[in-house]
């Protein structure tokens, strides 16, 4: 087992977006130094990193440099080439390592691994050609959601097909994708996530179950506690802990789950890194997901995080910024605004978030509504919006 990592050791982070930025902010608070690898010299973490390694993610010399300059390495996103992570691993420990990365970044490998291990997942089939897509759709039955097996996030690379006509127009668009996963498009009661935490010694714990509302496939709102039964909450926590243990992960693992209309819990996705739904933990928990990550990868003792009370988190996207009166927002008591300092504003780009605390779930709910009004987010997204969401980036 690794000796505990103590300051002024250096934490290396692959990716300098907001997740990397929040990770090193917590690392600095705990006395550690940081080196961040990102191709963008103006990435959110650039303002904080002790050292910024500005190089494309495909540059092996950057992987060597990161390894040489760090005591332990982690990553903030899954679309990194696992081969690059292996290069780092040849010199330095990376937690979570390249093994879970290979699985979590590939929707087929992820679903197959989950299914093989006995985790409940949505019925799915794989297709490599439009003929296979037709076959897969027949097997699963409409409505289906078609997803590219790699490079998708925030609903990118996904389309919902409700009927034969949708399928025909989807196939006629001549998309050049090597592999699709076709999933049954389920009517959901609610979506939840659990962030599980696991140390070098195999000790596990988890954050409370988070209830998530997506709009246009992007996380819009998270609430803690999740408004599901105690039994489902316990089951969700167990599933997340079983998953982090099964995949032998040191670090944190966010398990996204569906609660179907008939009350069944299914595992949707795995994210072996800090997760947007866990941002509440910075302001409303005895330990944040970022501290949990630093502690676990550094071989430090991990404690069970306890939420400080009912809370919520609302994401601020580029399209919200034009509505947002920051002064008005900060008049709402017990809210904390986080802005990531991104220069390029795009309608669906995550620019920041707000954490909302309150004495009761009802009070938090009222403040959430006030914030939604301030950012121009009122009516829930309709299911049909998903049809137009296919874009491979
Ligand atoms: P990503 O988060 O990587 O974009 P997901 O697979 O988590 O991809 O899909 C994004 C969102 O789309 C989910 O959070 C959920 O709201 C919806 N969704 C995805 N797959 C299904 C499904 N099979 N049935 C119902 N809703 C789905
Ligand atoms: Mg997801």
């Amino acid at each position: 087992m690794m000796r505990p990592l103590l300051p002024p050791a250096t934490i290396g982070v692959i990716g300098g977006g907001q997740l990397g930025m929040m990770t090193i902010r917590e690392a600095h608070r705990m006395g550690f130094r940081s080196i961040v690898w990102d191709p963008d010299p103006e990435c959110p973490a650039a303002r904080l990193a002790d050292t910024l390694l500005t190089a494309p993610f495909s540059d092996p010399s950057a992987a060597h440099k990161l390894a040489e300059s760090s005591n332990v390495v982690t990553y903030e996103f899954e679309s990194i080439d696992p081969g690059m992570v292996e290069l780092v691993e040849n010199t330095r420990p990376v937690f979570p390592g390249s093994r879970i990365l290979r699985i979590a970044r590939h929707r087929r490998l992820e679903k197959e691994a989950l299914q093989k291990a006995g985790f409940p997942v949505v019925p799915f089939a794989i297709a490599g050609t439009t003929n296979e897509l037709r076959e897969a759709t027949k097997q699963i039955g409409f409505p289906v959601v078609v997803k590219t097996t790699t490079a998708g996030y925030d609903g990118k690379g996904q389309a919902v097909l409700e009927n034969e006509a949708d399928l025909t127009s989807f196939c006629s668009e001549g998309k050049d994708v090597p592999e699709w996963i076709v999933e049954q498009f389920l009517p959901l009661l609610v979506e939840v996530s659990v962030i599980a935490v696991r140390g070098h010694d195999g000790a596990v714990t988890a954050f409370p179950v988070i209830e998530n509302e997506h709009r246009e496939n992007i996380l819009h709102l998270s609430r803690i506690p999740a408004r599901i039964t105690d039994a489902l909450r316990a089951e969700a926590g167990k599933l997340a802990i079983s998953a982090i243990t099964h995949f032998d992960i040191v670090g944190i693992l966010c398990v996204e789950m569906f609660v179907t209309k008939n009350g069944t819990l299914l595992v949707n996705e795995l994210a072996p890194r800090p997760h947007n739904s866990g941002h509440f933990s910075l302001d409303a928990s005895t330990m944040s997901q970022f501290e949990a990550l630093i502690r676990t990868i550094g071989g430090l003792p991990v404690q069970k995080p306890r939420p400080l009370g009912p809370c919520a988190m609302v994401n601020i996207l580029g399209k919200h910024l034009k509505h947002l009166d920051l002064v008005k927002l900060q008049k709402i008591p017990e809210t904390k605004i986080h802005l990531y300092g991104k220069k390029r504003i795009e309608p669906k780009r995550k620019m920041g978030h707000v954490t909302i605390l309150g004495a009761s779930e009802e009070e938090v709910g009222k403040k959430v509504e006030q914030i939604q009004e301030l950012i121009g987010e009122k009516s829930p997204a309709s299911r049909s919006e998903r049809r137009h969401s296919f874009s491979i980036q």
Side-chain angles (χ1 to χ4, degrees):
M1 209 169 73
M2 188 177 130
R3 267 195 298 143
L5 199 68
L6 293 171
T10 298
I11 312 278
V13 183
I14 307 176
Q18 64 268 22
L19 301 172
M21 175 183 80
M22 293 186 250
T23 302
I24 62 170
R25 188 185 283 147
E26 287 280 86
H28 290 178
R29 178 178 61 73
M30 297 164 78
F32 294 105
R33 313 198 117 252
S34 64
I35 175 165
V36 174
W37 175 11
D38 198 284
D40 179 3
E42 294 189 334
C43 64
R47 293 184 298 165
L48 301 184
D50 289 306
T51 307
L52 188 68
L53 191 55
T54 312
F57 287 129
S58 54
D59 180 354
S61 68
H64 287 299
K65 179 105 196 286
L66 183 79
E68 277 161 19
S69 316
S70 311
N71 294 85
V72 66
V73 174
T74 189
Y75 47 81
E76 64 143 18
F77 68 124
E78 288 105 292
S79 19
I80 180 96
D81 170 6
M84 281 294 149
V85 174
E86 274 169 12
L87 274 185
V88 180
E89 275 171 334
N90 289 341
T91 313
R92 276 301 167 256
V94 181
F95 299 116
S98 57
R99 198 173 139 255
I100 182 65
L101 180 67
R102 277 190 196 282
I103 297 171
R105 70 194 292 279
H106 195 288
R107 293 186 196 278
R108 175 173 56 77
L109 297 181
E110 183 178 63
K111 280 276 191 311
E112 286 172 354
L114 284 166
Q115 197 175 46
K116 195 165 158 226
F119 290 97
V121 293
V122 60
F124 71 94
I126 303 297
T129 62
T130 48
N131 274 346
E132 284 173 11
L133 192 62
R134 288 186 179 281
E135 264 314 299
T137 306
K138 214 179 276 170
Q139 184 190 327
I140 302 293
F142 288 115
V144 296
V145 51
V146 181
K147 305 176 183 179
T148 55
T149 50
T150 56
Y153 68 98
D154 287 344
K156 290 193 174 75
Q158 299 193 16
V160 172
L161 311 180
E162 304 268 1
N163 48 40
E164 282 294 336
D166 284 353
L167 177 63
T168 303
S169 76
F170 183 84
C171 291
S172 69
E173 284 168 37
K175 292 175 191 74
D176 186 19
V177 171
E179 195 174 59
W180 286 291
I181 183 164
V182 181
E183 295 176 13
Q184 193 174 64
F185 188 61
L186 295 168
L188 304 179
L189 194 62
V190 68
E191 291 186 63
V192 297
S193 57
V194 175
I195 296 166
V197 181
R198 186 164 175 269
H200 288 266
D201 56 356
V204 284
T205 187
F207 283 81
V209 183
I210 307 161
E211 174 183 335
N212 298 316
E213 182 187 326
H214 292 79
R215 290 193 180 174
E216 296 180 77
N217 305 330
I218 303 176
L219 182 64
H220 164 58
L221 165 66
S222 293
R223 292 175 200 264
I224 296 94
R227 296 167 300 176
I228 54 176
T229 62
D230 288 348
L232 272 176
R233 250 203 296 267
E235 198 185 327
K238 264 196 212 148
L239 276 178
I241 286 188
S242 307
I244 200 168
T245 308
H246 171 78
F247 291 105
D248 195 17
I249 293 170
V250 171
I252 62 176
L253 175 74
C254 179
V255 182
E256 294 181 14
M257 291 172 238
F258 295 148
V259 182
T260 65
K261 280 265 154 71
N262 54 19
T264 312
L265 209 51
L266 300 174
V267 175
N268 171 33
E269 280 200 292
L270 304 175
R273 54 163 172 85
H275 193 265
N276 193 174
S277 65
H279 288 354
F280 80 93
S281 62
L282 278 170
D283 302 314
S285 171
T286 50
M287 179 170 61
S288 76
Q289 60 170 339
F290 306 98
E291 178 174 344
L293 174 64
I294 302 294
R295 281 182 179 237
T296 44
I297 68 177
L300 294 161
V302 177
Q303 291 160 13
K304 187 168 174 60
R306 181 173 59 79
L308 298 177
C311 65
M313 189 250 10
V314 172
N315 265 339
I316 298 175
L317 306 182
K319 65 177 179 181
H320 299 141
L321 283 181
K322 62 174 183 283
H323 299 279
L324 187 59
D325 180 333
L326 284 173
V327 177
K328 254 194 194 161
L329 179 80
Q330 283 169 78
K331 278 194 181 141
I332 305 173
E334 297 182 11
T335 57
K336 294 249 182 201
I337 185 146
H338 296 246
L339 291 172
Y340 310 145
K342 294 180 184 173
K343 290 205 172 143
R344 190 168 43 83
I345 302 175
E346 282 171 23
K348 293 186 175 181
R349 196 164 190 223
K350 290 173 181 166
M351 306 303 290
H353 70 267
V354 189
T355 318
I356 303 108
L357 291 104
S360 64
E361 285 175 52
E362 199 191 359
E363 190 189 308
V364 170
K366 281 195 184 130
K367 291 186 215 173
V368 165
E369 280 171 25
Q370 279 176 279
I371 290 167
Q372 287 174 317
E373 192 146 344
L374 281 177
I375 61 173
E377 247 331 311
K378 270 165 81 190
S379 57
S382 74
R383 192 162 135 169
S384 60
E385 281 176 47
R386 294 184 49 103
R387 262 189 235 186
H388 309 289
S389 65
F390 200 90
S391 63
I392 299 162
Q393 301 190 355

